[in-house]
Amino acid sequence: IGYDSWMERLITSSKSSSQIIVIANLLGKHMGANPHLWYDPVTMPTYASALTLLLSQKDPSHHDYYLQQKKAFDKNYQTLIELISRLKQKYQGAPAIATEPVFNYMADAIGLKMNGEDFQLNIMNDIPPTASQTRSFESKLQNREVYVLIYNSQVSNPITSRMQSIAEQNNIPTIGVTETQPQGKSYVQWMEDELNDLSKALQQHH
């Protein structure tokens, strides 16, 4: 979805006959959709199924092995699904705000009420938010209309840093999320760690 169009150029310029799986196509997502697909809980199981099928077709003699690995993945992934489900039962409808739409698919899955989305899109696209978007964002924090501020911990700029400071001054918990999988953590561990941080932040209101 335009997130890594450089990848197309990389593949075209290399001579190898690569097999390409475009996750956005598997999910029916088009240009303009939020590109942070790995935060959508349906993404990885959908990808795992497509990958298992592709590997089994290319290497039929190891078909059973691929299926076994897929089963192990599904079992591990179930712990994440259960965590999301528990958070949804507890925090559905809780108001949240984010500096960028990195985590929004997951926030939707939990049922959080996301604020400041026009501001977030501008930040993601490197466009300065408008004065009214900025004022609205600040007032949500100053009036404590949101329970948590979610920010991209891999990106720092003066405006998002200011929002973090305003949140902290108003005793609104802030949680950092990342766009890339931290080294030494599996995908499921990465998601669970961030969800546990979110849970701790939201608990302060319950």
Side-chain angles (χ1 to χ4, degrees):
I1 329 177
Y3 195 88
D4 46 12
S5 48
W6 53 272
M7 201 71 196
E8 311 271 329
R9 293 196 293 276
L10 207 61
I11 293 160
T12 326
S13 65
S14 86
K15 295 287 176 275
S16 71
S17 59
S18 353
Q19 193 84 41
I20 302 155
I21 297 178
V22 182
I23 311 277
N25 296 351
L26 293 179
L27 299 170
K29 301 278 187 191
H30 303 287
M31 270 311 242
N34 182 342
H36 303 92
L37 295 174
W38 54 96
Y39 274 107
D40 187 335
V42 303
T43 299
M44 293 305 170
T46 306
Y47 167 51
S49 299
L51 183 62
T52 306
L53 187 66
L54 183 67
L55 292 171
S56 297
Q57 284 167 350
K58 290 184 88 60
D59 178 21
S61 62
H62 292 103
H63 172 76
D64 290 350
Y65 170 76
Y66 297 130
L67 279 187
Q68 208 181 327
Q69 292 297 92
K70 169 75 165 60
K71 271 201 184 118
F73 167 79
D74 286 342
K75 190 169 180 240
N76 189 21
Y77 200 79
Q78 196 49 37
T79 62
L80 176 60
I81 294 299
E82 283 160 12
L83 176 57
I84 292 167
S85 166
R86 285 198 303 277
L87 292 179
K88 186 172 184 170
Q89 282 168 357
K90 215 168 169 182
Y91 301 118
Q92 191 165 11
I97 202 163
T99 55
E100 274 187 73
V102 174
F103 192 76
N104 287 10
Y105 282 120
M106 189 62 86
D108 283 350
I110 295 163
L112 300 183
K113 192 176 176 304
M114 186 54 73
N115 290 268
E117 288 178 306
D118 48 355
F119 176 99
Q120 297 173 39
L121 274 180
N122 279 4
I123 294 286
M124 180 180 87
N125 294 320
D126 286 330
I127 300 165
T130 66
S132 71
Q133 287 169 353
T134 304
R135 270 198 310 276
S136 164
F137 201 103
E138 286 174 358
S139 80
K140 297 260 187 242
L141 297 171
Q142 286 156 346
N143 300 327
R144 307 198 66 220
E145 290 171 39
V146 290
Y147 293 177
V148 64
L149 169 72
I150 300 161
Y151 66 94
N152 181 348
S153 60
Q154 290 170 304
V155 172
S156 179
N157 67 45
I159 188 153
T160 59
S161 300
R162 196 168 94 239
M163 296 310 176
Q164 280 170 252
S165 303
I166 294 172
E168 281 152 17
Q169 285 155 20
N170 291 281
N171 294 321
I172 291 169
T174 62
I175 72 150
V177 296
T178 62
E179 293 187 87
T180 52
Q181 187 171 323
Q183 219 170 350
K185 280 185 192 180
S186 71
Y187 171 78
V188 169
Q189 286 167 332
W190 171 32
M191 292 293 122
E192 286 183 341
D193 287 350
E194 291 190 349
L195 288 173
N196 288 328
D197 288 346
L198 177 69
S199 181
K200 280 188 203 118
L202 291 170
Q203 256 162 23
Q204 298 182 29
H205 269 267
H206 278 249

